[in-house]
Amino acid sequence: MTATAAGPRHTGPRHTGPRHTGPRHTGPRHTGPRHIVLTGATGQIAPLVARHLDARHRITLTSRTAPAAAQRAGVRHVACDYDDPGSLLHAFRGADALFVVTNDPTRPGHDRNIVRAAIEAGVGHIVKLSAAAVHDSRAHDLITRWQRANEERIRDSGIPWTMIQPRSFMSHALAWAPDIRRDGVVHALHPHSRNACIAPEDIAQVSARVLGDGGHHFQSYQLTGPQPLSAHEQCAVLSELLGRPMVCRELSRQEAHARYARRYSPAMADALLAGAERQLAGAKAGTTDTVERLTGRPATTFAEWAAGHLDRFA
């Protein structure tokens, strides 16, 4: 399959998936400065959220180790260990809002410790980065079960909550970068199946809005990009941006599992394979208008995201 120079066009209705029908803001609104704690300081989303938060807020980033790069002025970093409830309690104490990001479904104790510390520290609002798959009744893989359990634990905590539930990150395409640079090839399982993937920057901006506003209590926000795209169509976009022909080659299930297993545990590789099968069945093609409603601008297209990160592929 050779990617054409012209990128894919979205010809169907823009919003085909579930919409949020509740009030845009619920709970008290706060216009003054807040103390906001963000977990996952060395990950992808939390540092982006910090950049989008208004400078009037007091921001604390937490992680096991210090961030690789310095954060903006006025943002402090606190080292804490998800296995150590005492360090979490110290980091969370006095927080008006807590942004929860965890990334290891094989260690559910991390999520339990975070919620227990949030309760004991008197956190005023938990904003949880979850996943859109929690709404799919056909999704029973390790990752989705873990996120559902995390959401239930937070709902049962007694602390006002908001769930941020994005579809797959556009940045997952960066895994193709070495093969693109070397051979001009994208390897993908089910390359014509579509996913309404979303730019991490959009997730961060929505999360910052929810954290900074102080409202949005007891709401779940499903986030997607503006259109569903396949790996083949993303390959075409990258081909046009890079100005050179590229090829999208299909992986077998065994080949895809082997690639996943190089980066993740066998259980995680199984879960990712199950997610790819649901995508093939169309489970990830629906879109929402949540990004536009909460930020006031359209969701970022894959072409816009890729153009901003083209140096990683060149």
Side-chain angles (χ1 to χ4, degrees), residues 3-8 170 173-174 176-177 180 185-186 231-246 302-303 305-307 309-310 312-314:
T4 60
M170 289 179 181
L174 293 172
W176 300 332
I180 289 174
V185 175
V186 165
H232 182 76
E233 290 167 327
Q234 290 175 309
C235 180
V237 170
L238 291 168
S239 175
E240 182 175 4
L241 289 171
L242 291 167
R244 60 188 176 95
M246 287 170 43
F302 180 76
W305 175 85
H309 299 80
L310 204 57
R312 303 284 297 275
F313 298 97

PDB file of all heavy atoms in Angstrom, residues 3-8 170 173-174 176-177 180 185-186 231-246 302-303 305-307 309-310 312-314:
ATOM      1  N   ALA A   3       1.181   5.273   0.149  1.00  0.00           N
ATOM      2  CA  ALA A   3       0.400   6.433   0.550  1.00  0.00           C
ATOM      3  C   ALA A   3       0.451   7.479  -0.546  1.00  0.00           C
ATOM      4  O   ALA A   3       1.504   7.779  -1.097  1.00  0.00           O
ATOM      5  CB  ALA A   3       0.959   7.007   1.854  1.00  0.00           C
ATOM      6  N   THR A   4      -0.700   8.042  -0.867  1.00  0.00           N
ATOM      7  CA  THR A   4      -0.751   9.096  -1.864  1.00  0.00           C
ATOM      8  C   THR A   4      -0.367  10.419  -1.244  1.00  0.00           C
ATOM      9  O   THR A   4      -0.397  10.600  -0.038  1.00  0.00           O
ATOM     10  CB  THR A   4      -2.163   9.206  -2.441  1.00  0.00           C
ATOM     11  OG1 THR A   4      -3.067   9.504  -1.377  1.00  0.00           O
ATOM     12  CG2 THR A   4      -2.579   7.906  -3.099  1.00  0.00           C
ATOM     13  N   ALA A   5      -0.066  11.397  -2.078  1.00  0.00           N
ATOM     14  CA  ALA A   5       0.369  12.700  -1.577  1.00  0.00           C
ATOM     15  C   ALA A   5      -0.771  13.444  -0.914  1.00  0.00           C
ATOM     16  O   ALA A   5      -0.574  14.208   0.012  1.00  0.00           O
ATOM     17  CB  ALA A   5       0.938  13.535  -2.724  1.00  0.00           C
ATOM     18  N   ALA A   6      -1.983  13.260  -1.397  1.00  0.00           N
ATOM     19  CA  ALA A   6      -3.113  13.994  -0.831  1.00  0.00           C
ATOM     20  C   ALA A   6      -3.578  13.320   0.449  1.00  0.00           C
ATOM     21  O   ALA A   6      -3.729  12.106   0.509  1.00  0.00           O
ATOM     22  CB  ALA A   6      -4.276  14.039  -1.825  1.00  0.00           C
ATOM     23  N   GLY A   7      -3.798  14.106   1.498  1.00  0.00           N
ATOM     24  CA  GLY A   7      -4.270  13.577   2.767  1.00  0.00           C
ATOM     25  C   GLY A   7      -5.747  13.227   2.691  1.00  0.00           C
ATOM     26  O   GLY A   7      -6.455  13.627   1.763  1.00  0.00           O
ATOM     27  N   PRO A   8      -6.244  12.478   3.674  1.00  0.00           N
ATOM     28  CA  PRO A   8      -7.646  12.076   3.674  1.00  0.00           C
ATOM     29  C   PRO A   8      -8.563  13.248   3.937  1.00  0.00           C
ATOM     30  O   PRO A   8      -8.221  14.179   4.637  1.00  0.00           O
ATOM     31  CB  PRO A   8      -7.704  11.069   4.830  1.00  0.00           C
ATOM     32  CG  PRO A   8      -6.581  11.466   5.734  1.00  0.00           C
ATOM     33  CD  PRO A   8      -5.507  11.996   4.817  1.00  0.00           C
ATOM     34  N   MET A 170      -2.615  11.014  19.350  1.00  0.00           N
ATOM     35  CA  MET A 170      -1.948  11.152  18.051  1.00  0.00           C
ATOM     36  C   MET A 170      -0.446  10.880  18.168  1.00  0.00           C
ATOM     37  O   MET A 170       0.184  10.413  17.212  1.00  0.00           O
ATOM     38  CB  MET A 170      -2.173  12.549  17.488  1.00  0.00           C
ATOM     39  CG  MET A 170      -3.594  12.812  17.023  1.00  0.00           C
ATOM     40  SD  MET A 170      -3.808  14.489  16.381  1.00  0.00           S
ATOM     41  CE  MET A 170      -5.570  14.454  15.965  1.00  0.00           C
ATOM     42  N   ALA A 173       1.774   7.840  16.973  1.00  0.00           N
ATOM     43  CA  ALA A 173       2.398   7.747  15.649  1.00  0.00           C
ATOM     44  C   ALA A 173       3.912   7.914  15.722  1.00  0.00           C
ATOM     45  O   ALA A 173       4.628   7.525  14.788  1.00  0.00           O
ATOM     46  CB  ALA A 173       1.796   8.795  14.705  1.00  0.00           C
ATOM     47  N   LEU A 174       4.413   8.492  16.811  1.00  0.00           N
ATOM     48  CA  LEU A 174       5.861   8.661  16.950  1.00  0.00           C
ATOM     49  C   LEU A 174       6.585   7.316  17.007  1.00  0.00           C
ATOM     50  O   LEU A 174       7.788   7.249  16.722  1.00  0.00           O
ATOM     51  CB  LEU A 174       6.185   9.487  18.194  1.00  0.00           C
ATOM     52  CG  LEU A 174       5.740  10.950  18.143  1.00  0.00           C
ATOM     53  CD1 LEU A 174       5.937  11.612  19.497  1.00  0.00           C
ATOM     54  CD2 LEU A 174       6.502  11.713  17.059  1.00  0.00           C
ATOM     55  N   TRP A 176       6.291   5.143  14.919  1.00  0.00           N
ATOM     56  CA  TRP A 176       6.666   4.838  13.535  1.00  0.00           C
ATOM     57  C   TRP A 176       7.928   5.581  13.102  1.00  0.00           C
ATOM     58  O   TRP A 176       8.494   5.270  12.046  1.00  0.00           O
ATOM     59  CB  TRP A 176       5.542   5.255  12.579  1.00  0.00           C
ATOM     60  CG  TRP A 176       4.231   4.599  12.794  1.00  0.00           C
ATOM     61  CD1 TRP A 176       4.002   3.362  13.326  1.00  0.00           C
ATOM     62  CD2 TRP A 176       2.948   5.137  12.460  1.00  0.00           C
ATOM     63  NE1 TRP A 176       2.657   3.098  13.343  1.00  0.00           N
ATOM     64  CE2 TRP A 176       1.982   4.163  12.819  1.00  0.00           C
ATOM     65  CE3 TRP A 176       2.513   6.332  11.869  1.00  0.00           C
ATOM     66  CZ2 TRP A 176       0.616   4.364  12.622  1.00  0.00           C
ATOM     67  CZ3 TRP A 176       1.156   6.529  11.683  1.00  0.00           C
ATOM     68  CH2 TRP A 176       0.222   5.565  12.050  1.00  0.00           C
ATOM     69  N   ALA A 177       8.345   6.580  13.857  1.00  0.00           N
ATOM     70  CA  ALA A 177       9.395   7.497  13.392  1.00  0.00           C
ATOM     71  C   ALA A 177      10.691   6.797  12.973  1.00  0.00           C
ATOM     72  O   ALA A 177      11.249   7.130  11.916  1.00  0.00           O
ATOM     73  CB  ALA A 177       9.665   8.565  14.445  1.00  0.00           C
ATOM     74  N   ILE A 180      10.163   5.266   9.604  1.00  0.00           N
ATOM     75  CA  ILE A 180       9.958   6.309   8.591  1.00  0.00           C
ATOM     76  C   ILE A 180      11.284   6.943   8.213  1.00  0.00           C
ATOM     77  O   ILE A 180      11.572   7.147   7.024  1.00  0.00           O
ATOM     78  CB  ILE A 180       8.961   7.364   9.116  1.00  0.00           C
ATOM     79  CG1 ILE A 180       7.549   6.775   9.165  1.00  0.00           C
ATOM     80  CG2 ILE A 180       8.982   8.614   8.237  1.00  0.00           C
ATOM     81  CD1 ILE A 180       6.529   7.692   9.809  1.00  0.00           C
ATOM     82  N   VAL A 185       8.693   3.739   5.792  1.00  0.00           N
ATOM     83  CA  VAL A 185       7.662   2.712   5.942  1.00  0.00           C
ATOM     84  C   VAL A 185       6.945   2.890   7.275  1.00  0.00           C
ATOM     85  O   VAL A 185       7.569   3.180   8.301  1.00  0.00           O
ATOM     86  CB  VAL A 185       8.274   1.297   5.865  1.00  0.00           C
ATOM     87  CG1 VAL A 185       7.212   0.236   6.138  1.00  0.00           C
ATOM     88  CG2 VAL A 185       8.917   1.066   4.509  1.00  0.00           C
ATOM     89  N   VAL A 186       5.623   2.722   7.246  1.00  0.00           N
ATOM     90  CA  VAL A 186       4.802   2.637   8.451  1.00  0.00           C
ATOM     91  C   VAL A 186       4.292   1.206   8.555  1.00  0.00           C
ATOM     92  O   VAL A 186       3.740   0.680   7.580  1.00  0.00           O
ATOM     93  CB  VAL A 186       3.613   3.628   8.387  1.00  0.00           C
ATOM     94  CG1 VAL A 186       2.568   3.292   9.439  1.00  0.00           C
ATOM     95  CG2 VAL A 186       4.094   5.061   8.551  1.00  0.00           C
ATOM     96  N   ALA A 231      -4.281   4.151   9.980  1.00  0.00           N
ATOM     97  CA  ALA A 231      -2.826   4.271   9.852  1.00  0.00           C
ATOM     98  C   ALA A 231      -2.441   4.590   8.409  1.00  0.00           C
ATOM     99  O   ALA A 231      -1.514   5.368   8.156  1.00  0.00           O
ATOM    100  CB  ALA A 231      -2.159   2.978  10.316  1.00  0.00           C
ATOM    101  N   HIS A 232      -3.158   4.012   7.461  1.00  0.00           N
ATOM    102  CA  HIS A 232      -2.887   4.287   6.052  1.00  0.00           C
ATOM    103  C   HIS A 232      -3.104   5.770   5.746  1.00  0.00           C
ATOM    104  O   HIS A 232      -2.296   6.392   5.045  1.00  0.00           O
ATOM    105  CB  HIS A 232      -3.801   3.426   5.181  1.00  0.00           C
ATOM    106  CG  HIS A 232      -3.585   3.593   3.709  1.00  0.00           C
ATOM    107  ND1 HIS A 232      -2.516   3.041   3.040  1.00  0.00           N
ATOM    108  CD2 HIS A 232      -4.291   4.277   2.771  1.00  0.00           C
ATOM    109  CE1 HIS A 232      -2.578   3.358   1.761  1.00  0.00           C
ATOM    110  NE2 HIS A 232      -3.649   4.111   1.571  1.00  0.00           N
ATOM    111  N   GLU A 233      -4.175   6.342   6.282  1.00  0.00           N
ATOM    112  CA  GLU A 233      -4.448   7.760   6.040  1.00  0.00           C
ATOM    113  C   GLU A 233      -3.450   8.657   6.767  1.00  0.00           C
ATOM    114  O   GLU A 233      -3.030   9.698   6.237  1.00  0.00           O
ATOM    115  CB  GLU A 233      -5.882   8.075   6.476  1.00  0.00           C
ATOM    116  CG  GLU A 233      -6.919   7.443   5.551  1.00  0.00           C
ATOM    117  CD  GLU A 233      -8.318   7.468   6.143  1.00  0.00           C
ATOM    118  OE1 GLU A 233      -8.463   7.367   7.381  1.00  0.00           O
ATOM    119  OE2 GLU A 233      -9.281   7.574   5.348  1.00  0.00           O
ATOM    120  N   GLN A 234      -3.040   8.274   7.960  1.00  0.00           N
ATOM    121  CA  GLN A 234      -2.015   9.035   8.659  1.00  0.00           C
ATOM    122  C   GLN A 234      -0.685   8.975   7.900  1.00  0.00           C
ATOM    123  O   GLN A 234       0.048   9.966   7.827  1.00  0.00           O
ATOM    124  CB  GLN A 234      -1.846   8.491  10.079  1.00  0.00           C
ATOM    125  CG  GLN A 234      -3.018   8.792  10.988  1.00  0.00           C
ATOM    126  CD  GLN A 234      -2.864   8.129  12.337  1.00  0.00           C
ATOM    127  OE1 GLN A 234      -2.599   6.922  12.431  1.00  0.00           O
ATOM    128  NE2 GLN A 234      -3.027   8.897  13.402  1.00  0.00           N
ATOM    129  N   CYS A 235      -0.398   7.822   7.339  1.00  0.00           N
ATOM    130  CA  CYS A 235       0.804   7.672   6.518  1.00  0.00           C
ATOM    131  C   CYS A 235       0.768   8.632   5.336  1.00  0.00           C
ATOM    132  O   CYS A 235       1.771   9.261   4.984  1.00  0.00           O
ATOM    133  CB  CYS A 235       0.927   6.226   6.045  1.00  0.00           C
ATOM    134  SG  CYS A 235       2.363   5.869   5.012  1.00  0.00           S
ATOM    135  N   ALA A 236      -0.401   8.786   4.716  1.00  0.00           N
ATOM    136  CA  ALA A 236      -0.548   9.708   3.596  1.00  0.00           C
ATOM    137  C   ALA A 236      -0.301  11.150   4.025  1.00  0.00           C
ATOM    138  O   ALA A 236       0.328  11.931   3.306  1.00  0.00           O
ATOM    139  CB  ALA A 236      -1.946   9.569   2.980  1.00  0.00           C
ATOM    140  N   VAL A 237      -0.797  11.511   5.196  1.00  0.00           N
ATOM    141  CA  VAL A 237      -0.570  12.864   5.719  1.00  0.00           C
ATOM    142  C   VAL A 237       0.928  13.103   5.935  1.00  0.00           C
ATOM    143  O   VAL A 237       1.477  14.138   5.537  1.00  0.00           O
ATOM    144  CB  VAL A 237      -1.340  13.059   7.044  1.00  0.00           C
ATOM    145  CG1 VAL A 237      -0.915  14.361   7.730  1.00  0.00           C
ATOM    146  CG2 VAL A 237      -2.847  13.079   6.791  1.00  0.00           C
ATOM    147  N   LEU A 238       1.593  12.152   6.551  1.00  0.00           N
ATOM    148  CA  LEU A 238       3.029  12.294   6.801  1.00  0.00           C
ATOM    149  C   LEU A 238       3.820  12.340   5.496  1.00  0.00           C
ATOM    150  O   LEU A 238       4.793  13.094   5.367  1.00  0.00           O
ATOM    151  CB  LEU A 238       3.514  11.144   7.683  1.00  0.00           C
ATOM    152  CG  LEU A 238       3.005  11.169   9.124  1.00  0.00           C
ATOM    153  CD1 LEU A 238       3.297   9.841   9.817  1.00  0.00           C
ATOM    154  CD2 LEU A 238       3.646  12.318   9.897  1.00  0.00           C
ATOM    155  N   SER A 239       3.400  11.550   4.514  1.00  0.00           N
ATOM    156  CA  SER A 239       4.055  11.564   3.210  1.00  0.00           C
ATOM    157  C   SER A 239       3.988  12.953   2.581  1.00  0.00           C
ATOM    158  O   SER A 239       4.988  13.473   2.066  1.00  0.00           O
ATOM    159  CB  SER A 239       3.401  10.531   2.293  1.00  0.00           C
ATOM    160  OG  SER A 239       3.931  10.590   0.984  1.00  0.00           O
ATOM    161  N   GLU A 240       2.810  13.565   2.655  1.00  0.00           N
ATOM    162  CA  GLU A 240       2.650  14.895   2.070  1.00  0.00           C
ATOM    163  C   GLU A 240       3.481  15.927   2.823  1.00  0.00           C
ATOM    164  O   GLU A 240       4.143  16.777   2.210  1.00  0.00           O
ATOM    165  CB  GLU A 240       1.180  15.293   2.084  1.00  0.00           C
ATOM    166  CG  GLU A 240       0.916  16.658   1.456  1.00  0.00           C
ATOM    167  CD  GLU A 240      -0.552  16.988   1.361  1.00  0.00           C
ATOM    168  OE1 GLU A 240      -1.374  16.190   1.843  1.00  0.00           O
ATOM    169  OE2 GLU A 240      -0.877  18.042   0.791  1.00  0.00           O
ATOM    170  N   LEU A 241       3.475  15.870   4.129  1.00  0.00           N
ATOM    171  CA  LEU A 241       4.218  16.846   4.920  1.00  0.00           C
ATOM    172  C   LEU A 241       5.727  16.704   4.727  1.00  0.00           C
ATOM    173  O   LEU A 241       6.452  17.701   4.695  1.00  0.00           O
ATOM    174  CB  LEU A 241       3.865  16.694   6.402  1.00  0.00           C
ATOM    175  CG  LEU A 241       2.459  17.136   6.816  1.00  0.00           C
ATOM    176  CD1 LEU A 241       2.183  16.727   8.262  1.00  0.00           C
ATOM    177  CD2 LEU A 241       2.294  18.643   6.654  1.00  0.00           C
ATOM    178  N   LEU A 242       6.195  15.459   4.615  1.00  0.00           N
ATOM    179  CA  LEU A 242       7.626  15.216   4.449  1.00  0.00           C
ATOM    180  C   LEU A 242       8.080  15.392   3.010  1.00  0.00           C
ATOM    181  O   LEU A 242       9.288  15.489   2.738  1.00  0.00           O
ATOM    182  CB  LEU A 242       7.973  13.809   4.927  1.00  0.00           C
ATOM    183  CG  LEU A 242       7.856  13.577   6.440  1.00  0.00           C
ATOM    184  CD1 LEU A 242       7.915  12.088   6.759  1.00  0.00           C
ATOM    185  CD2 LEU A 242       8.952  14.335   7.193  1.00  0.00           C
ATOM    186  N   GLY A 243       7.128  15.405   2.078  1.00  0.00           N
ATOM    187  CA  GLY A 243       7.465  15.607   0.675  1.00  0.00           C
ATOM    188  C   GLY A 243       8.175  14.426   0.045  1.00  0.00           C
ATOM    189  O   GLY A 243       8.990  14.594  -0.866  1.00  0.00           O
ATOM    190  N   ARG A 244       7.856  13.222   0.510  1.00  0.00           N
ATOM    191  CA  ARG A 244       8.464  12.027  -0.097  1.00  0.00           C
ATOM    192  C   ARG A 244       7.492  10.864   0.016  1.00  0.00           C
ATOM    193  O   ARG A 244       6.659  10.819   0.920  1.00  0.00           O
ATOM    194  CB  ARG A 244       9.800  11.681   0.562  1.00  0.00           C
ATOM    195  CG  ARG A 244       9.751  11.378   2.043  1.00  0.00           C
ATOM    196  CD  ARG A 244      11.168  11.246   2.581  1.00  0.00           C
ATOM    197  NE  ARG A 244      11.234  11.035   4.013  1.00  0.00           N
ATOM    198  CZ  ARG A 244      11.323   9.857   4.602  1.00  0.00           C
ATOM    199  NH1 ARG A 244      11.322   8.745   3.860  1.00  0.00           N
ATOM    200  NH2 ARG A 244      11.418   9.750   5.910  1.00  0.00           N
ATOM    201  N   PRO A 245       7.572   9.908  -0.915  1.00  0.00           N
ATOM    202  CA  PRO A 245       6.644   8.775  -0.872  1.00  0.00           C
ATOM    203  C   PRO A 245       6.900   7.887   0.331  1.00  0.00           C
ATOM    204  O   PRO A 245       8.041   7.733   0.781  1.00  0.00           O
ATOM    205  CB  PRO A 245       6.928   8.031  -2.187  1.00  0.00           C
ATOM    206  CG  PRO A 245       8.321   8.426  -2.550  1.00  0.00           C
ATOM    207  CD  PRO A 245       8.498   9.836  -2.061  1.00  0.00           C
ATOM    208  N   MET A 246       5.827   7.333   0.860  1.00  0.00           N
ATOM    209  CA  MET A 246       5.925   6.411   1.978  1.00  0.00           C
ATOM    210  C   MET A 246       4.995   5.237   1.742  1.00  0.00           C
ATOM    211  O   MET A 246       4.033   5.346   0.984  1.00  0.00           O
ATOM    212  CB  MET A 246       5.572   7.117   3.298  1.00  0.00           C
ATOM    213  CG  MET A 246       6.650   8.075   3.764  1.00  0.00           C
ATOM    214  SD  MET A 246       6.127   9.112   5.162  1.00  0.00           S
ATOM    215  CE  MET A 246       5.295   7.935   6.188  1.00  0.00           C
ATOM    216  N   PHE A 302      -4.981  15.702  12.686  1.00  0.00           N
ATOM    217  CA  PHE A 302      -3.720  14.964  12.680  1.00  0.00           C
ATOM    218  C   PHE A 302      -2.677  15.702  11.855  1.00  0.00           C
ATOM    219  O   PHE A 302      -1.487  15.733  12.226  1.00  0.00           O
ATOM    220  CB  PHE A 302      -3.920  13.549  12.131  1.00  0.00           C
ATOM    221  CG  PHE A 302      -2.640  12.746  12.111  1.00  0.00           C
ATOM    222  CD1 PHE A 302      -2.133  12.217  13.281  1.00  0.00           C
ATOM    223  CD2 PHE A 302      -1.944  12.546  10.919  1.00  0.00           C
ATOM    224  CE1 PHE A 302      -0.931  11.502  13.280  1.00  0.00           C
ATOM    225  CE2 PHE A 302      -0.757  11.820  10.912  1.00  0.00           C
ATOM    226  CZ  PHE A 302      -0.251  11.297  12.081  1.00  0.00           C
ATOM    227  N   ALA A 303      -3.093  16.315  10.750  1.00  0.00           N
ATOM    228  CA  ALA A 303      -2.136  17.062   9.917  1.00  0.00           C
ATOM    229  C   ALA A 303      -1.518  18.218  10.707  1.00  0.00           C
ATOM    230  O   ALA A 303      -0.310  18.479  10.607  1.00  0.00           O
ATOM    231  CB  ALA A 303      -2.823  17.577   8.659  1.00  0.00           C
ATOM    232  N   TRP A 305      -1.240  18.410  14.021  1.00  0.00           N
ATOM    233  CA  TRP A 305      -0.350  17.851  15.043  1.00  0.00           C
ATOM    234  C   TRP A 305       0.967  17.391  14.420  1.00  0.00           C
ATOM    235  O   TRP A 305       2.050  17.676  14.937  1.00  0.00           O
ATOM    236  CB  TRP A 305      -1.030  16.667  15.748  1.00  0.00           C
ATOM    237  CG  TRP A 305      -0.092  16.012  16.711  1.00  0.00           C
ATOM    238  CD1 TRP A 305       0.155  16.373  18.005  1.00  0.00           C
ATOM    239  CD2 TRP A 305       0.804  14.923  16.429  1.00  0.00           C
ATOM    240  NE1 TRP A 305       1.130  15.574  18.549  1.00  0.00           N
ATOM    241  CE2 TRP A 305       1.540  14.683  17.603  1.00  0.00           C
ATOM    242  CE3 TRP A 305       1.039  14.134  15.299  1.00  0.00           C
ATOM    243  CZ2 TRP A 305       2.504  13.676  17.676  1.00  0.00           C
ATOM    244  CZ3 TRP A 305       1.998  13.136  15.366  1.00  0.00           C
ATOM    245  CH2 TRP A 305       2.714  12.911  16.546  1.00  0.00           C
ATOM    246  N   ALA A 306       0.888  16.662  13.317  1.00  0.00           N
ATOM    247  CA  ALA A 306       2.092  16.126  12.679  1.00  0.00           C
ATOM    248  C   ALA A 306       3.009  17.242  12.193  1.00  0.00           C
ATOM    249  O   ALA A 306       4.236  17.144  12.315  1.00  0.00           O
ATOM    250  CB  ALA A 306       1.709  15.213  11.519  1.00  0.00           C
ATOM    251  N   ALA A 307       2.435  18.322  11.661  1.00  0.00           N
ATOM    252  CA  ALA A 307       3.245  19.449  11.192  1.00  0.00           C
ATOM    253  C   ALA A 307       4.028  20.055  12.355  1.00  0.00           C
ATOM    254  O   ALA A 307       5.172  20.521  12.181  1.00  0.00           O
ATOM    255  CB  ALA A 307       2.355  20.502  10.538  1.00  0.00           C
ATOM    256  N   HIS A 309       5.229  18.450  14.848  1.00  0.00           N
ATOM    257  CA  HIS A 309       6.210  17.488  15.357  1.00  0.00           C
ATOM    258  C   HIS A 309       6.989  16.843  14.215  1.00  0.00           C
ATOM    259  O   HIS A 309       7.535  15.746  14.374  1.00  0.00           O
ATOM    260  CB  HIS A 309       5.508  16.411  16.189  1.00  0.00           C
ATOM    261  CG  HIS A 309       4.801  16.948  17.392  1.00  0.00           C
ATOM    262  ND1 HIS A 309       3.552  17.542  17.338  1.00  0.00           N
ATOM    263  CD2 HIS A 309       5.169  17.017  18.703  1.00  0.00           C
ATOM    264  CE1 HIS A 309       3.178  17.936  18.536  1.00  0.00           C
ATOM    265  NE2 HIS A 309       4.134  17.625  19.377  1.00  0.00           N
ATOM    266  N   LEU A 310       7.066  17.525  13.093  1.00  0.00           N
ATOM    267  CA  LEU A 310       7.639  16.912  11.901  1.00  0.00           C
ATOM    268  C   LEU A 310       9.117  16.596  12.052  1.00  0.00           C
ATOM    269  O   LEU A 310       9.630  15.660  11.409  1.00  0.00           O
ATOM    270  CB  LEU A 310       7.423  17.842  10.698  1.00  0.00           C
ATOM    271  CG  LEU A 310       7.429  17.182   9.316  1.00  0.00           C
ATOM    272  CD1 LEU A 310       6.378  16.088   9.224  1.00  0.00           C
ATOM    273  CD2 LEU A 310       7.226  18.211   8.216  1.00  0.00           C
ATOM    274  N   ARG A 312      10.478  15.104  14.334  1.00  0.00           N
ATOM    275  CA  ARG A 312      10.647  13.758  14.879  1.00  0.00           C
ATOM    276  C   ARG A 312      10.605  12.685  13.795  1.00  0.00           C
ATOM    277  O   ARG A 312      11.073  11.570  14.001  1.00  0.00           O
ATOM    278  CB  ARG A 312       9.541  13.481  15.917  1.00  0.00           C
ATOM    279  CG  ARG A 312       9.484  14.492  17.056  1.00  0.00           C
ATOM    280  CD  ARG A 312      10.595  14.259  18.069  1.00  0.00           C
ATOM    281  NE  ARG A 312      10.465  12.974  18.710  1.00  0.00           N
ATOM    282  CZ  ARG A 312       9.704  12.742  19.777  1.00  0.00           C
ATOM    283  NH1 ARG A 312       8.984  13.716  20.301  1.00  0.00           N
ATOM    284  NH2 ARG A 312       9.679  11.540  20.336  1.00  0.00           N
ATOM    285  N   PHE A 313       9.999  13.002  12.663  1.00  0.00           N
ATOM    286  CA  PHE A 313       9.848  12.038  11.567  1.00  0.00           C
ATOM    287  C   PHE A 313      10.882  12.260  10.466  1.00  0.00           C
ATOM    288  O   PHE A 313      11.145  11.363   9.675  1.00  0.00           O
ATOM    289  CB  PHE A 313       8.448  12.133  10.964  1.00  0.00           C
ATOM    290  CG  PHE A 313       7.345  11.803  11.908  1.00  0.00           C
ATOM    291  CD1 PHE A 313       6.661  12.800  12.577  1.00  0.00           C
ATOM    292  CD2 PHE A 313       6.983  10.483  12.152  1.00  0.00           C
ATOM    293  CE1 PHE A 313       5.626  12.500  13.445  1.00  0.00           C
ATOM    294  CE2 PHE A 313       5.959  10.167  13.027  1.00  0.00           C
ATOM    295  CZ  PHE A 313       5.279  11.181  13.680  1.00  0.00           C
ATOM    296  N   ALA A 314      11.423  13.468  10.380  1.00  0.00           N
ATOM    297  CA  ALA A 314      12.298  13.827   9.241  1.00  0.00           C
ATOM    298  C   ALA A 314      13.652  13.143   9.363  1.00  0.00           C
ATOM    299  O   ALA A 314      14.151  12.912  10.472  1.00  0.00           O
ATOM    300  CB  ALA A 314      12.483  15.341   9.196  1.00  0.00           C
TER     301      ALA A 314
END
